[in-house]
């Protein structure tokens, strides 16, 4: 067995070293018996055998997007969720992991092995792969190519627009700025994801009157203007530098208050509408309101661990309100919901916040599952790309997922969760690795260790999961190109041209 490494012995391969432990729970004694595991396997087998395929029409479609929600993030979150209540976690399931059909999505973009959130949004929303940092356009548009962006033959439209053209209500919910990369894929056609306001277009040397920014397209674009629900952060990108928002944040636009223009637009259409800026306002909106814009922060919404419940609604609350509002339409709806700050926490190597944001995402999906009918509502849960966080070592069962995972050959501990790169990098001192046992691992802002120093941790190129329930959910199986995702939704809800569930 050790022909090439004669000095190694088997007992050295998995040597049990005494080390600091942070064990939360013990596993159950029944798990030591074969009967326990055989029963679990048989129960799962029966469930698989009884699984029914739904080939009806999806009146409603909800796409949940966990930004940066890699497979390791799911595994770690299962444990984190249970350990918050002092329960075992490895065998736990998140709400969407209980969905009957699963697959994998290949996330590369036309010009990148590892995707960003804009080109990937173009894939899973518009059905076409694009170049890095561009959204709602084909790969004929390169980064910052304003002229190519203005060429409408290069525009691609989202499942949101396809649904609007069939008379369905549509909505976007996110915990990021409403003009950020992922939500922009629903309504914008942009050559640079950073062009969220006219001032940022001008900063790159282009005329914002010719090359319309993302916020402008949200209010005045053909898709954006028809959105019934707009929930997220990003007020500063909607108002001019001369004005302040409800929290005292100065605007970032050169001119024009787009919130007021949205209100004027809806007033002229003689449709019921309401703009809200906090949780109280959101909960007070009548479900019969046809158009609602809720902007709950000047920038991104706060992480859940930092959020003031009196001020900002949770992702679950925004999701439930959006579904109630959209359900008033006779022809059904399309809703895009993004748990966007999973990604931001990973970029900062703040693993605790990344897992907590994933729990909030799980709660929002459970709420949607509870108030919708699998017979007529297709719910798809996926991610745009992975991250470099790994779950590693040989920690004991029930060990704190955010704690120490093992000991290195240098007799220093390492954390169960760590990153390939990012701001959590610690430089060795005198050739000695940093001792993480001296750190406060309970700090919500603790930066988990990284191998390579970077200001921001990068995305990962791994495949990501797809989970589905409802009409034609069984088509989300196998390993799929990411741009297949909206085509299946369109087939199931009959908003595409050509063959679909209705024909």
């Amino acid at each position: 067995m050790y022909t090439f490494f004669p000095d190694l012995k088997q007992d050295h391969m998995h040597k049990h070293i005494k080390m600091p432990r942070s064990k939360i729970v013990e596993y159950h004694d029944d798990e030591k018996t074969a009967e326990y595991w055989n029963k679990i396997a048989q129960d799962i087998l029966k469930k698989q055998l009884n699984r029914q395929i739904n080939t009806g029409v999806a009146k409603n479609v909800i796409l949940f997007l966990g930004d940066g929600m890699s497979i390791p993030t799911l595994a770690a979150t299962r444990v984190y969720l249970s350990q918050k209540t002092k329960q075992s976690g490895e065998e736990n399931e998140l709400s969407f992991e209980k969905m009957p059909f699963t697959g994998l999505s290949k996330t590369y973009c036309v010009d990148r092995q590892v995707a960003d959130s804009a080109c990937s949004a173009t894939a899973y929303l518009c059905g076409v792969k694009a170049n890095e940092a561009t959204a709602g356009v084909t790969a004929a548009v390169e980064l910052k190519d304003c002229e190519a962006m203005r060429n409408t033959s290069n525009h691609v439209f989202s499942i949101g627009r396809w649904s609007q053209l069939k008379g369905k209500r549509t909505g976007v919910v996110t915990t990021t700025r409403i003009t950020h990369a992922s939500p922009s894929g629903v309504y914008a056609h942009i050559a640079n994801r950073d062009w969220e306001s006219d001032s940022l277009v001008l900063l790159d040397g282009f005329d914002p009157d010719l090359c319309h920014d993302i916020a402008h397209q949200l209010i005045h674009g053909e898709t954006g203007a028809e959105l019934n629900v707009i929930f997220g952060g990003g007020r500063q990108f909607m108002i001019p530098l001369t004005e302040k928002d409800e929290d005292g944040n100065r605007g970032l636009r050169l001119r024009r208050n787009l919130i007021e223009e949205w209100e004027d637009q809806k007033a002229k259409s003689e449709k019921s509408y309401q703009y809200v800026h906090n949780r109280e306002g959101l909960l007070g909106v009548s479900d019969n309101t046809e158009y609602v814009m809720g902007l709950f922060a000047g920038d991104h919404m706060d992480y859940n661990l930092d959020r003031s419940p009196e001020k900002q609604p949770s992702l679950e609350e925004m999701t439930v309100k959006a579904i109630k509002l959209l359900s008033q339409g006779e022809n059904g709806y399309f809703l895009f919901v993004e748990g966007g700050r999973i990604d931001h926490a990973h970029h900062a190597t703040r693993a605790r916040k990344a897992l907590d944001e994933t729990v909030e995402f799980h709660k929002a999906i459970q709420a949607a599952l509870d108030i919708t009918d699998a017979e007529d509502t297709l719910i798809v849960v996926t991610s745009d790309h992975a991250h470099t966080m790994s779950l590693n070592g040989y920690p004991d069962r029930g060990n704190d997922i955010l704690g120490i995972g093992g000991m290195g050959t240098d007799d220093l501990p390492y954390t169960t969760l760590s990153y390939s790169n990012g701001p959590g990098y610690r430089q060795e001192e005198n050739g000695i690795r940093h001792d993480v046992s001296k750190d406060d691992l309970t700090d919500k802002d603790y930066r988990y260790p990284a191998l390579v120093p970077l200001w921001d941790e990068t995305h990962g190129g791994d495949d990501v999961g797809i989970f589905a329930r409802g009409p034609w959910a069984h088509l989300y199986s196998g390993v799929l190109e990411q741009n297949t995702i909206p085509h299946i939704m369109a087939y199931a809800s009959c908003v595409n041209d050509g063959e679909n569930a209705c024909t």
Side-chain angles (χ1 to χ4, degrees):
M1 181 177 178
Y2 300 111
T3 305
F4 299 102
F5 304 98
D7 294 334
L8 292 180
K9 296 182 180 179
Q10 190 169 358
D11 62 343
H12 290 162
M13 299 299 286
H14 299 286
K15 185 177 181 181
H16 186 77
I17 304 173
K18 288 185 178 181
M19 52 173 283
R21 290 289 186 180
S22 48
K23 199 158 187 180
I24 302 292
V25 293
E26 298 285 346
Y27 57 82
H28 200 277
D29 282 344
D30 288 349
E31 295 188 25
K32 298 176 182 178
T33 67
E35 289 79 10
Y36 176 86
W37 295 107
N38 288 332
K39 184 180 184 304
I40 286 179
Q42 288 298 314
D43 288 344
I44 293 173
L45 175 60
K46 289 176 183 177
K47 185 185 295 185
Q48 296 289 86
L49 291 171
N50 291 326
R51 183 167 292 169
Q52 300 296 313
I53 291 176
N54 182 346
T55 57
V57 174
K59 179 181 180 181
N60 314 306
V61 174
I62 306 175
L63 174 58
F64 282 95
L65 191 282
D67 198 310
M69 190 178 68
S70 61
I71 299 297
T73 302
L74 297 181
T77 301
R78 292 180 207 132
V79 183
Y80 171 77
L81 176 60
S82 292
Q83 291 184 345
K84 287 176 69 177
T85 55
K86 304 298 182 183
Q87 299 175 9
S88 180
E90 290 82 1
E91 72 286 352
N92 193 20
E93 288 182 302
L94 301 176
S95 57
F96 49 94
E97 293 179 318
K98 300 174 185 177
M99 290 181 173
F101 299 99
T102 60
L104 291 172
S105 168
K106 296 159 64 178
T107 62
Y108 68 92
C109 291
V110 170
D111 63 341
R112 289 290 185 270
Q113 287 182 335
V114 178
D116 85 306
S117 292
C119 64
S120 54
T122 309
Y124 64 75
L125 284 164
C126 305
V128 173
K129 293 214 174 196
N131 292 324
E132 181 188 31
T134 68
V137 291
T138 69
V141 179
E142 297 184 356
L143 181 63
K144 298 184 181 182
D145 189 342
C146 178
E147 184 175 354
M149 165 189 146
R150 294 182 62 221
N151 183 346
T152 57
S153 66
N154 293 329
H155 291 185
V156 290
F157 293 87
S158 74
I159 178 74
R161 183 57 179 165
W162 307 342
S163 299
Q164 290 175 350
L165 293 174
K166 296 297 182 179
K168 294 180 180 290
R169 291 193 177 193
T170 53
V172 178
V173 174
T174 180
T175 51
T176 69
R177 296 189 295 266
I178 195 66
T179 51
H180 209 235
S182 301
S184 77
V186 175
Y187 59 84
H189 311 283
I190 201 77
N192 185 355
R193 57 176 286 177
D194 291 337
W195 291 348
E196 296 182 59
S197 72
D198 55 358
S199 61
L200 295 173
V201 176
L202 187 64
L203 192 64
D204 270 342
F206 297 98
D207 184 349
D209 289 329
L210 296 177
C211 198
H212 291 146
D213 61 273
I214 296 173
H216 181 279
Q217 293 186 47
L218 172 62
I219 303 305
H220 297 291
E222 54 190 323
T223 305
E226 295 300 321
L227 289 170
N228 300 89
V229 171
I230 300 170
F231 292 162
R235 282 191 228 112
Q236 290 176 272
F237 294 82
M238 307 292 285
I239 61 176
L241 295 160
T242 54
E243 298 180 25
K244 294 182 179 180
D245 70 3
E246 291 83 354
D247 296 323
N249 301 304
R250 191 167 295 281
L252 296 173
R253 301 193 65 77
L254 297 173
R255 57 189 184 277
R256 301 176 65 170
N257 185 314
L258 294 180
I259 297 174
E260 292 180 355
E261 290 184 16
W262 179 85
E263 292 178 312
D264 291 342
Q265 180 190 97
K266 300 312 173 194
K268 290 177 182 177
S269 70
E270 298 184 350
K271 303 287 186 180
S272 59
Y273 67 93
Q274 190 169 349
Y275 165 72
V276 295
H277 69 274
N278 58 23
R279 179 175 181 269
E280 182 181 6
L282 174 74
L283 299 181
V285 173
S286 168
D287 293 341
N288 292 320
T289 311
E290 293 175 87
Y291 293 91
V292 182
M293 177 188 285
L295 300 178
F296 306 108
D299 193 42
H300 299 304
M301 294 180 67
D302 292 337
Y303 288 112
N304 177 62
L305 290 176
D306 300 329
R307 179 175 64 92
S308 168
E310 293 76 28
K311 182 179 177 182
Q312 292 185 7
S314 66
L315 181 60
E316 178 183 358
E317 289 171 330
M318 291 192 290
T319 299
V320 169
K321 176 57 75 171
I323 292 172
K324 290 180 177 179
L325 289 164
L326 297 176
S327 296
Q328 305 302 313
E330 295 181 359
N331 298 321
Y333 59 83
F334 168 78
L335 173 63
F336 174 73
V337 180
E338 181 195 24
R341 305 226 63 192
I342 302 168
D343 173 75
H344 295 164
H346 275 319
H347 278 305
T349 66
R350 292 188 168 115
R352 184 178 295 272
K353 283 187 170 178
L355 303 191
D356 192 77
E357 290 298 307
T358 308
V359 169
E360 291 301 297
F361 187 61
H362 139 89
K363 290 178 182 177
I365 296 166
Q366 184 61 63
L369 292 169
D370 290 342
I371 62 175
T372 58
D373 188 343
E375 286 302 307
D376 68 357
T377 301
L378 172 62
I379 296 181
V380 180
V381 180
T382 190
S383 179
D384 47 356
H385 52 73
H387 270 276
T388 71
M389 187 192 80
S390 64
L391 196 164
N392 62 90
Y394 298 104
D396 289 343
R397 176 85 178 277
N399 197 60
D400 183 359
I401 192 66
L402 291 162
I404 302 299
M407 296 288 281
T409 55
D410 54 4
D411 291 327
L412 289 173
Y414 58 85
T415 51
T416 301
L417 303 181
S418 59
Y419 291 83
S420 293
N421 56 58
Y425 171 79
R426 275 87 162 170
Q427 189 169 2
E428 291 185 352
E429 295 184 12
N430 300 320
I432 299 174
R433 187 165 58 89
H434 174 70
D435 186 352
V436 294
S437 68
K438 296 180 180 179
D439 296 344
D440 181 6
L441 300 181
T442 65
D443 181 358
K444 64 182 179 181
D445 289 313
Y446 178 74
R447 294 186 188 272
Y448 276 73
L451 179 64
V452 177
L454 286 176
W455 291 113
D456 282 314
E457 177 264 0
T458 69
H459 296 167
D462 324 21
D463 293 350
V464 295
I466 310 172
F467 309 85
R469 185 196 83 169
W472 298 95
H474 61 282
L475 297 183
Y476 290 102
S477 60
V479 181
L480 303 177
E481 290 287 359
Q482 191 171 45
N483 65 294
T484 309
I485 291 172
H487 290 279
I488 295 175
M489 291 189 290
Y491 181 95
S493 58
C494 306
V495 299
N496 62 328
D497 294 325
E499 185 179 353
N500 55 45
C502 295
T503 58

